[in-house]
Amino acid sequence: MNQSSKFLMLRSIDVLSSLTDQQIEQLSNQSVHDSYARGSFLFDIGDSVSYVFLLTKGTVKVGLTTSNDKTLIKEFAYANNLVGENILTGLSNRRLFAQVVKDTEVFKIPASYFKALFEQNSQFCEDITKLLISKLAELEDRMNNFVFKKAQNRIVDFIKELARTKGMKIGLDEILINHGLSHKEIANITDTSRQTVARVLGDLKRQNIIHFSDRKPHKILIRDVMNLG
């Protein structure tokens, strides 16, 4: 990708909107645009904190593996999302992993330069701080859901959130979600089981609230979000 294309792509990304054209140009020079296949890692637990990743395409899951080999998903990141941006903790090694769920393209931004942008642009520093606070609030909401909501409600809430963030409106009321996630991955982020996810989605399909095909279960058509409950 040439510098002009990199500049235009970076300039169009909302999370970078507070950067000046000169800073975007510097960022395009400092960063590398790279591709990652499904199943590969942007980084793994224990890796050095060398880069911040800005997705331009695909899906990445961020999480950790517990001592009993259970995977806990912190978040899913999509196009125009940052991954590994929390670099102000002073830690030199990653405590989380970031694994590609759908073939992904990213800008790899050196962590040292990303930090330098905070000093150069106070509004950018404030924007990233707000982003981190927002992610912490989302984690707190999920923890509350784990405690107070039943498994089915957690799965339905996750589908509604996908509809809000990833949905494509079709017609008046229908929304198509191409989430690319397995039942196991949905189970990991909703703290349920793969069997429960399959059962809940199957029930919603039988009630004609959603539709998906057996050949492409990663694509869900929501007939009407209001009917999800």
Side-chain angles (χ1 to χ4, degrees):
M1 179 180 293
N2 61 44
Q3 291 303 116
S4 177
S5 297
K6 288 171 68 176
F7 176 89
L8 291 173
M9 187 176 292
L10 289 166
R11 181 74 284 175
S12 68
I13 296 174
D14 287 344
V15 74
L16 305 178
S17 62
S18 58
L19 297 181
T20 66
D21 284 350
Q22 182 179 3
Q23 288 167 338
I24 290 290
E25 185 175 357
Q26 292 172 350
L27 181 58
S28 68
N29 291 330
Q30 292 281 340
S31 61
V32 175
H33 196 258
D34 208 350
S35 300
Y36 291 80
R38 175 181 171 87
S40 60
F41 287 82
L42 302 187
F43 54 82
D44 205 350
I45 296 170
D47 287 354
S48 62
V49 181
S50 302
Y51 295 97
V52 173
F53 298 84
L54 177 57
L55 275 65
T56 57
K57 176 183 176 182
T59 305
V60 171
K61 62 180 178 182
V62 180
L64 56 89
T65 304
T66 65
S67 56
N68 60 355
D69 289 332
K70 182 176 181 181
T71 300
L72 301 177
I73 302 300
K74 177 185 176 185
E75 64 173 321
F76 285 97
Y78 306 99
N80 299 337
N81 289 170
L82 286 166
V83 173
E85 75 283 0
N86 190 8
I87 57 176
L88 303 178
T89 59
L91 298 173
S92 57
N93 298 96
R94 302 285 188 185
R95 291 188 173 182
L96 302 170
F97 67 77
Q99 186 177 23
V100 174
V101 176
K102 291 177 64 177
D103 289 355
T104 293
E105 296 180 2
V106 302
F107 280 106
K108 293 172 59 176
I109 306 169
S112 58
Y113 182 71
F114 196 77
K115 287 181 181 179
L117 286 173
F118 294 162
E119 299 174 3
Q120 298 172 18
N121 190 315
S122 59
Q123 184 59 55
F124 180 65
C125 182
E126 182 179 336
D127 291 345
I128 297 301
T129 301
K130 288 179 179 178
L131 175 65
L132 294 173
I133 292 172
S134 175
K135 288 188 175 185
L136 286 173
E138 290 174 3
L139 277 177
E140 184 175 355
D141 287 343
R142 281 179 55 199
M143 290 173 65
N144 288 333
N145 288 344
F146 294 158
V147 174
F148 297 111
K149 290 190 176 182
K150 295 180 179 179
Q152 176 169 339
N153 298 119
R154 296 200 295 271
I155 294 167
V156 167
D157 284 349
F158 180 65
I159 295 172
K160 290 166 71 174
E161 179 64 13
L162 285 176
R164 185 183 70 83
T165 58
K166 291 285 291 177
M168 178 186 300
K169 193 166 184 179
I170 298 177
L172 293 177
D173 300 312
E174 295 184 332
I175 296 177
L176 179 65
I177 308 167
N178 186 4
H179 56 80
L181 307 176
S182 67
H183 287 174
K184 182 62 176 177
E185 287 165 334
I186 296 175
N188 286 339
I189 202 168
T190 57
D191 195 33
T192 57
S193 67
R194 180 183 60 78
Q195 293 85 353
T196 301
V197 171
R199 176 180 58 79
V200 170
L201 294 180
D203 288 345
L204 293 172
K205 181 179 179 180
R206 282 188 287 275
Q207 295 171 47
N208 202 34
I209 295 174
I210 67 172
H211 176 75
F212 56 89
S213 70
D214 293 336
R215 292 176 57 243
K216 296 182 178 179
H218 57 280
K219 289 186 177 182
I220 295 177
L221 180 68
I222 303 174
R223 301 295 191 188
D224 188 342
V225 173
M226 299 299 294
N227 287 335
L228 278 172

